[in-house]
Each structure stands twice: as structure tokens, then as C-alpha cells.
Amino acid sequence: MDAAAVVEAAGAHKRPEDAKHVGYGTAGFRTKADILDHVLMRVGVLAALRSRCKGGAAIGLMVTASHNPEPDNGAKLVDPMGEMLEASWEAYATRLANCKDDELVGEINTIISECGIDMQTKAKVVLGRDTRGSGLKLCQAARDGCTALGAEVVDLGIVTTPQVHYVVRCLNDATYGTPTVAGYQEKLAAAFKAIWTLAGRTDLISLKLDCANGVGAVQMKELLKHLDSMLKVEMYNDGSGQLNHECGADYVKVQQHAPANMTAGAGDRCVTFDGDADRVLYFFTRDGTFFMLDGDRISSLAAQFIQQCATAAALDLNIGVVQTAYANGNSTKFLQTKAGVPVACTKTGVKHLHHKALDYDVGVYFEANGHGTVVFSDAALKKINEHESGSEEGKRAIAMLRAMTELINQTVGDAISDMLMVEAILLLQNMTVEDWAAMYDDLPNRQLKVKIADRSVVKTTNAERECTAPAGLQSAIDELVKKFTSARSFVRPSGTEDVVRVYAEAETREQADTLAWAVAGKVWDLAGGIGDRPHAP
């Protein structure tokens, strides 16, 4: 290691004496952009170390704060196969980001020693950023960290987070595709065109798309150059306004209405991305009522379709869906009883979902917020690509599956790829969004927060669905749930603030609300609530 180069980089990106502590979690680093300069330089250092640790494989570094407000920014690292950074390295990221400038070289040497990194190995880092004004300066800080450790930097410029994941995967696995943004566009377009041909469609698919004033608009415009004979997309919040302000997937999910500058009229098929285009949701209105098609719905649509194709082709595939405790109970029931697909539950967080999905030949996972994808094992891909069916129906089913494996970005949740997947399935099944919504009815649910003195007193198990501490809280929840029909409730500590999150669902809106407030009261009583005891408004 060139210690002098590291010292020089640290001098150019000094950590303030009163710097706020930052932690690397599932979303990477994420906070106010104006305090991230020294953090991004050190993330660049870590990316170079990670690349060498993985034998010189390309590592991704995306500068984004996703659905956060525009003044925020952040960074996340991407591992060689396009997956999220290995959890054990999150502690290294946090240590590097928070150490004093004169401790930086020592911390780097500790990581080198603990991980057995050969510093003679070449390193490569793929750099990308979203449309935030702070991104260019922070990318330069990251680049300085990379070059201080002698890493080659591939700068993609303004791209979606999933495109960085894609390019990293391609650089390390040539069979996955061409390692450029153009290669990404061409792969998705070719797959969608194949599905269009299978469906025999002639008229345009019309969509209204909310791009959250983010990078999704930039990249969709490029993709539509390949698909303008198939898709007619009216784009709203396409960069002319403030990023994620009263628009985007998170806003629409929480507010349960169309974003600013966009209306959802009768017959409109509406889609919304988040700021870095790794989440997607659908919505429409009927008789003035707003209908949301969230991640649970996308997961159900995809899993049922893949299962039906496998059955039609007489193809033996172990297909499963991975959910969190927040998945609507009726989506789980639909998958298990009507779609005939097993469902597993994991802790909240995409990394947990993705890891569990790898247990299946075909693993489908989406969080309710619209972040998710479908992963195919190597064995499943081999079966799909080599299988021959004797019937015309089977041959068509295999052709559809093959096209889907190319259309889906298997590395990570991808708003653009997932939107095309949904459109492909609706097209092949001759379904409308209203048909999709009619697959099952969501159970009414309510989510609340309870302020407590110390969130660490609340412990959970069974994928966060059961509470093991404080004593008596789970039994109190169980007794409350018994009073309502088709009801369930769970509580879990927040990962970022001293609050406990409460989830409740039941057969009616009134029952769900009543249950949620009653559980919130028990949390306040038994877990050290502060402020006023929660009560229904």
C-alpha cells in the first residue's frame, strides 16, 4: 500500500473533528450530502480493498440516497455477482468512515491483515451516481479513494443503481451480458421484443410513468428508443422538479394517491419509480377509488406465471416466494393455496430476502415497497435452456421462460426491468391491471410507531413475527389478536431510531385500526414508552 497516497487523499478530504458518526447498513451510508466528502473517499478505499480481497473482481460503488430527499446522499457497494456487500464487511465500512485521519492508514492495514489481502492484485471499481447535484463532487471523492490504493475506476456517470449491479456482474461473469449501460438496454429490449413476438401483439401498450424526478427518466428515455413500437410511455416528474418531492414510489405508497403533476384517470395504467430506480409500484383508479399494486402483488403475479409455465412445459422446478412479516396475509394465502407456490418468511431487509431466495431453483422476492426481483439458479437456467417439450403449449411456455430469464435483472431489484416483467406477463396472459388486482383482496392493515426510551429492550424471533422481550408483550399481543377475525399483529424495533414499529391486519379496516392501537398501547406499557400513551385519534 502507498501510505503517502492515502495520507494525501485524506488531506484532500479531511474528516471534521466534530464529524457525525455514520453507519453502513442495508442501504449503505445515507445522510446529509454536505457531511459525506470524507466518507466517500474512504468508501473508495474500501471498494479497492474489497476488489483485491475478491481476487481482482470488479466491485460497484453507487453514489445515491435512493428515495431520500434531494439534500441527502449516500453510497453503497456492490459485490462481484451484483449482490449487496457481504454483511461482514459492513463493520469495516463503518470503521473506515469514522476513524480519525491519522488513524486511517492503520485501519486499512488492519483490514488488509484480517482479510489476508494481496495488495499486488489489481483492483477495479465501477462508479455510478444518481441525478443529485451533490453526486459529482462525492464521486470525485470516491475516485480519489480508489486511486489512492491504485484501483482502476470505470465511471458510468449518471445511471440507475441496478445498472451498476448489472455492469459489475457482467464484468465478472461474461455470460450475463455486455458490461455497459448500452448492453443493459439492448439485453432488456431484445428480451421484451421476443415476448412481444410470442404474444402476437400489434397495438401499443400505454403507460403513465412517474420517474420521481430521478435517474429513471434518463434511462427510460434511452430504453424507449429500442421499444417505441411497443410501448407508449407518458413520463411525469421526469427531472424538471425536485427529486422525490411529492413523487416517487415511496411517496405514492405512503400517501395512497397519485404523485404531484400526474393524474390517474379511468383506464390509465400508472407506474411509479423511486429516485434511483430500484423500486417500482403500479396503481390505478376505479370509480374514484385508488388501487395500489405493490411488491406483494408483483411477487404473486410473477410466481404464479412462472409456476404455470413450468407446469405447461412439464419442467421440474422448485419455485418459491420469499416475504417479510409485512407481506399482506392474503397475498401469502393466495400464493400457497391458489398459485401452489411455497412461501418463506425472513427478517426485514433486501439482503435477507435475496439470500433466502437462493435456496430455490427459482426464487421470487419483493418487499411491499416494490423492491425485488426473481433469481434463477444455474441448475434452473440449464433446465430451462436445454428442456424440450413435445406439445405446442409446452414449447411456448419454455420460450416464455427463456425470455423472462433475460428480461429480469437477477442481481437486484430493478424498477425498469421489473416494470417490463410485469408488462410481459400481463401481455402474455392477456390481463389488465384490474384483472391483476382481482387475484386477491388485501386484508386491511395499519402501521404505527411507538416511542420508547431504548429500542434494544424489544427482541424478536421467527423472522420478526414473535416478540421474546420484554416479558409478557407477546402473550398480550396474542390475546388481543384473538378478539378479531383473520387478524395478526407483530412488533419490531426500528433499526434507526428509538421507536417500535407496530403492524396489524384484520378482516375490516375498523378491526385493523383497533388492533393496531391496542398493541401500540401494550408496547408503551411494557417496553418503556415515553410521551403520551398511544390511543386512537
Side-chain angles (χ1 to χ4, degrees):
M1 178 181 65
D2 186 347
V6 173
V7 171
E8 183 180 351
H13 304 280
K14 290 183 178 180
R15 178 185 181 274
E17 289 295 325
D18 60 349
K20 174 185 173 184
H21 183 276
V22 292
Y24 192 105
T26 299
F29 291 114
R30 196 176 293 182
T31 186
K32 297 297 182 186
D34 57 8
I35 65 171
L36 278 172
D37 183 69
H38 71 285
V39 175
L40 264 292
M41 188 280 289
R42 293 154 185 236
V43 174
V45 167
L46 190 73
L49 290 173
R50 183 64 177 166
S51 176
R52 289 192 172 95
C53 180
K54 303 304 287 185
I59 295 294
L61 197 170
M62 180 68 187
V63 179
T64 181
S66 189
H67 58 278
N68 280 35
E70 191 161 354
D72 292 355
N73 216 323
K76 60 180 77 171
L77 294 182
V78 179
D79 261 356
M81 288 298 101
E83 71 273 45
M84 299 172 72
L85 178 67
E86 182 183 316
S88 65
W89 272 62
E90 293 176 3
Y92 290 139
T94 300
R95 276 165 46 185
L96 273 190
N98 293 288
C99 70
K100 295 178 180 180
D101 288 340
D102 60 6
E103 299 171 342
L104 183 57
V105 170
E107 285 289 351
I108 294 170
N109 280 325
T110 299
I111 296 171
I112 292 170
S113 175
E114 290 181 0
C115 299
I117 298 172
D118 180 0
M119 292 302 289
Q120 299 306 308
T121 302
K122 291 183 178 181
K124 179 178 287 188
V125 178
V126 178
L127 187 61
R129 59 187 170 94
D130 68 15
T131 55
R132 295 167 201 269
S134 60
L136 187 60
K137 179 175 180 289
L138 292 177
C139 272
Q140 184 58 54
R143 177 188 287 273
D144 289 349
C146 292
T147 55
L149 258 69
E152 175 192 351
V153 177
V154 178
D155 192 345
L156 300 180
I158 295 176
V159 289
T160 70
T161 294
Q163 286 173 331
V164 171
H165 286 254
Y166 168 86
V167 171
V168 168
R169 172 68 178 268
C170 292
L171 285 169
N172 297 313
D173 174 10
T175 66
Y176 196 69
T178 304
T180 61
V181 175
Y184 166 94
Q185 306 278 11
E186 290 161 4
K187 180 178 181 178
L188 266 58
F192 193 80
K193 287 176 182 176
I195 288 167
W196 182 271
T197 301
L198 283 169
R201 179 85 174 231
T202 55
D203 56 318
L204 285 169
I205 297 172
S206 295
L207 300 171
K208 282 185 166 184
L209 174 61
D210 163 36
C211 295
N213 286 313
V215 66
V218 177
Q219 294 301 330
M220 271 303 298
K221 288 172 184 176
E222 290 301 310
L223 180 63
L224 288 173
K225 292 176 182 178
H226 300 279
L227 299 176
D228 58 357
S229 63
M230 288 159 265
L231 294 176
K232 178 186 177 185
V233 181
E234 294 179 39
M235 280 192 246
Y236 299 84
N237 301 310
D238 62 354
S240 55
Q242 187 175 343
L243 179 68
N244 293 324
H245 179 63
E246 296 185 350
C247 58
D250 193 59
Y251 176 85
V252 174
K253 173 73 172 171
V254 172
Q255 300 299 325
Q256 292 288 300
H257 62 68
N261 309 312
M262 178 179 175
T263 57
D268 289 339
R269 183 183 295 187
C270 303
V271 188
T272 177
F273 292 170
D274 69 335
D276 66 336
D278 64 359
R279 298 185 188 182
V280 63
L281 300 169
Y282 275 68
F283 61 94
F284 68 96
T285 59
R286 184 174 63 211
D287 299 328
T289 301
F290 180 88
F291 289 87
M292 169 68 70
L293 294 157
D294 63 6
D296 293 341
R297 298 277 185 175
I298 297 172
S299 186
S300 298
L301 181 73
Q304 183 184 56
F305 173 77
I306 293 168
Q307 181 73 282
Q308 289 173 344
C309 286
T311 300
L315 189 59
D316 182 21
L317 290 174
N318 178 22
I319 301 165
V321 172
V322 186
Q323 297 182 327
T324 71
Y326 286 103
N328 194 273
N330 275 357
S331 73
T332 308
K333 186 182 295 183
F334 168 83
L335 286 162
Q336 292 174 327
T337 61
K338 292 189 177 180
V341 177
V343 178
C345 188
T346 70
K347 291 173 62 177
T348 302
V350 175
K351 61 185 177 184
H352 302 298
L353 290 152
H354 189 94
H355 180 75
K356 184 63 180 177
L358 298 176
D359 288 348
Y360 299 97
D361 289 336
V362 183
V364 183
Y365 72 88
F366 278 84
E367 292 185 298
N369 62 24
H371 189 287
T373 189
V374 182
V375 291
F376 296 82
S377 70
D378 290 342
L381 290 172
K382 189 173 188 294
K383 284 182 181 180
I384 291 168
N385 289 323
E386 295 180 358
H387 185 76
E388 294 183 8
S389 179
S391 69
E392 288 304 312
E393 180 188 17
K395 290 177 182 177
R396 185 171 185 271
I398 281 292
M400 291 190 290
L401 280 177
R402 287 171 183 162
M404 281 292 174
T405 65
E406 293 293 303
L407 183 64
I408 295 166
N409 184 351
Q410 298 177 49
T411 65
V412 72
D414 182 339
I416 294 174
S417 169
D418 289 338
M419 182 191 78
L420 292 179
M421 176 189 73
V422 167
E423 291 303 326
I425 295 171
L426 296 179
L427 177 64
L428 291 166
Q429 303 276 65
N430 196 27
M431 293 172 65
T432 65
V433 288
E434 294 203 17
D435 294 332
W436 178 17
M439 287 169 62
Y440 63 85
D441 294 323
D442 280 323
L443 285 169
N445 60 82
R446 175 68 64 195
Q447 297 185 44
L448 300 172
K449 293 181 183 180
V450 182
K451 291 183 179 181
I452 62 173
D454 178 8
R455 68 180 184 272
S456 69
V457 303
V458 178
K459 309 290 185 184
T460 64
T461 188
N462 190 18
E464 301 177 315
R465 291 176 291 185
E466 295 179 29
C467 184
T468 57
L473 181 53
Q474 185 59 51
S475 59
I477 294 171
D478 292 341
E479 288 303 312
L480 289 169
V481 167
K482 290 177 183 177
K483 298 178 181 180
F484 303 96
T485 307
S486 300
R488 69 184 181 99
S489 180
F490 66 90
V491 302
R492 54 180 289 270
S494 167
T496 57
E497 54 185 328
D498 280 321
V499 300
V500 173
R501 302 186 186 278
V502 175
Y503 179 92
E505 66 182 31
E507 190 173 64
T508 67
R509 165 60 58 200
E510 182 181 7
Q511 288 186 15
D513 288 348
T514 302
L515 176 57
W517 285 108
V519 170
K522 290 297 183 182
V523 171
W524 192 92
D525 293 341
L526 299 172
I530 58 176
D532 295 334
R533 189 179 191 274
H535 60 85

